[in-house]
Amino acid sequence: MCRKSFFLFFFLSCWFCMRAQVSSLYFDRITMQNGLSNNKVNCIIRDQRGFMWFGTDDGLNRYDGHNFVVFQHKPGDSSTISGNVINDIVEDKEGVLWIATADGGLSRYDYRQSRAHQFKQYRHSPGDSNSIPVNMLNKLQLDQQGFLWIATSGVALLRFDRKQERFTEPVKHGTMTMLDIELDKTGMLWAGRVGGGMLKMNPRTLRYETEPVYDDLYAKLPHMAITSLFADDEKVWFGSWDKVLYCRSIVTGKETVFKQSADPYSFKNDEISCFTADERGRLWMGGRYGGLHVYDKVTDRFYNYRYDPAREGTISDNRINALYTDKNGVVRIGERDEVDV
């Protein structure tokens, strides 16, 4: 029998940068034994008050460093969170959390409200054209105007006016599943599509560009399905079903591909599911199959960290779902481990 268990890891040790040696990482873990509602962690943030929030496959978890408070959906109770499979969380300037679920649409959480009104649900209601058009949400982004953007499975991309509580669908053609969205330093919105390559939109004008070559879903093209996105000062980095790493210049559009070669410090081919960057600008990437990848842009070297049952302090599984760097430089990792019994 195959039993699946899931773990959340905290990166505890420092990064040791040595010219002639591979850097070392050490990990510790938090699991359901510590109070987590479910060990599959899909997203992580730290709010303005200092609480850590973990979105899992069975509820939203708030962590104060010692104890967990778990928020779960209760059918028929509008005062609870709208769903239990939490895919993403963002915090706005007012300290309100916006939560994307895969099974219940969007939720709003405001801790300043009375307990019965802290959560507000935005679930799809058949026949109600003002409700959110789909309940399966993948990623969230807040733009410079304060609009909330939502990558979905079913209606591509949504823009939510938080003041008027109105959803609009600016993308009307092409594939209707987007796995990730990202804002670059210029304020442009990038969206990774399944079967359609990249979409780039101006959030102010709602004008967008697609890549027409991807209209042929059977064409053999690179990054036909984009799984994750991350923007630094110069480039947009993205993972793909191709199991190689891409980056595209924000200014010129020039694309670079990283793949495995004879160089021991090359990228170990993997489908990247999430990104973060540390305070020194190194790029951290969670792989679907190959563990944790770290890219040092200064040395142009990739480092790969995988589960090793013979060593204490390694990651517990080679599938990583979430990465987050807090203000103290601590990288937190949500990952999955499969154990055969």
Side-chain angles (χ1 to χ4, degrees):
M1 179 179 69
C2 179
R3 183 182 66 193
K4 292 184 178 180
S5 57
F6 303 85
F7 300 91
L8 173 71
F9 273 74
F10 289 72
F11 165 53
L12 296 182
S13 71
C14 295
W15 171 283
F16 298 101
C17 187
M18 308 177 190
R19 292 184 179 179
Q21 294 179 329
V22 175
S23 303
S24 300
L25 299 178
Y26 186 89
F27 302 86
D28 198 4
R29 68 181 64 175
I30 287 181
T31 71
M32 290 177 67
Q33 294 180 347
N34 305 102
L36 198 65
S37 65
N38 185 279
N39 284 333
K40 185 173 184 292
V41 175
N42 303 315
C43 52
I44 308 168
I45 70 161
R46 180 173 180 162
D47 70 15
Q48 298 172 12
R49 298 185 293 162
F51 288 112
M52 294 301 305
W53 294 83
F54 306 116
T56 77
D57 263 12
D58 191 20
L60 179 65
N61 294 244
R62 187 182 72 197
Y63 184 57
D64 63 6
H66 301 282
N67 301 299
F68 282 96
V69 175
V70 177
F71 302 95
Q72 293 175 313
H73 174 66
K74 296 179 181 178
D77 187 348
S78 62
S79 69
T80 63
I81 192 169
S82 63
N84 283 327
V85 182
I86 314 299
N87 276 343
D88 203 12
I89 313 164
V90 298
E91 183 181 25
D92 65 25
K93 293 180 180 179
E94 291 74 41
V96 174
L97 296 184
W98 297 90
I99 303 127
T101 78
D103 59 338
L106 180 69
S107 285
R108 178 183 188 270
Y109 175 78
D110 187 346
Y111 68 91
R112 289 161 293 207
Q113 302 297 321
S114 64
R115 185 176 295 273
H117 297 93
Q118 288 180 340
F119 281 102
K120 182 167 184 178
Q121 301 179 2
Y122 301 88
R123 297 171 64 92
H124 176 63
S125 177
D128 182 357
S129 61
N130 294 318
S131 70
I132 191 168
V134 67
N135 281 331
M136 191 169 182
L137 314 183
N138 298 319
K139 289 291 180 178
L140 304 172
Q141 277 286 340
L142 282 163
D143 69 17
Q144 296 170 351
Q145 303 173 84
F147 290 107
L148 182 67
W149 291 85
I150 310 169
T152 79
S153 294
V155 293
L157 191 62
L158 292 173
R159 187 180 76 162
F160 181 58
D161 186 325
R162 295 178 298 139
K163 295 181 180 179
Q164 299 194 20
E165 298 188 312
R166 181 181 301 166
F167 295 94
T168 56
E169 302 175 43
V171 179
K172 297 294 186 180
H173 74 280
T175 56
M176 291 291 106
T177 294
M178 293 186 174
L179 298 180
D180 204 359
I181 46 178
E182 179 79 343
L183 282 170
D184 67 25
K185 67 174 184 179
T186 70
M188 295 296 287
L189 188 73
W190 300 70
R193 309 160 81 190
V194 173
M198 190 81 76
L199 179 144
K200 185 178 178 181
M201 174 178 286
N202 185 326
R204 294 183 179 275
T205 65
L206 301 187
R207 288 190 172 186
Y208 61 89
E209 303 171 5
T210 61
E211 299 170 295
V213 67
Y214 290 97
D215 290 344
D216 181 359
L217 298 181
Y218 297 97
K220 293 183 179 180
L221 298 168
H223 53 74
M224 177 68 82
I226 295 172
T227 54
S228 55
L229 292 158
F230 179 82
D232 62 20
D233 288 341
E234 300 176 347
K235 302 172 182 176
V236 173
W237 300 79
F238 52 103
S240 170
W241 287 356
D242 303 354
K243 299 182 183 177
V244 295
L245 175 67
Y246 299 91
C247 70
R248 187 177 296 181
S249 169
I250 294 172
V251 176
T252 68
K254 181 182 178 181
E255 195 165 281
T256 305
V257 182
F258 298 90
K259 60 178 65 175
Q260 191 163 352
S261 69
D263 183 350
Y265 294 106
S266 64
F267 176 70
K268 305 300 185 290
N269 290 356
D270 198 359
E271 179 184 316
I272 299 302
S273 57
C274 51
F275 291 90
T276 191
D278 64 23
E279 55 191 3
R280 291 180 59 182
R282 288 170 295 227
L283 192 66
W284 295 62
M285 297 161 280
R288 183 178 176 85
Y289 306 103
L292 177 67
H293 307 265
V294 181
Y295 178 51
D296 189 327
K297 300 175 187 177
V298 175
T299 62
D300 192 28
R301 286 183 169 185
F302 287 89
Y303 299 91
N304 181 230
Y305 302 90
R306 300 191 181 211
Y307 169 62
D308 184 348
R311 291 178 54 217
E312 182 180 358
T314 67
I315 58 176
S316 69
D317 189 80
N318 290 325
R319 179 167 179 170
I320 295 176
N321 301 317
L323 291 167
Y324 178 77
T325 306
D326 69 19
K327 64 180 182 180
N328 298 317
V330 177
V331 176
R332 305 176 189 268
I333 304 173
E335 60 186 48
R336 190 187 83 167
D337 181 30
E338 297 187 5
V339 181
D340 291 324
V341 177

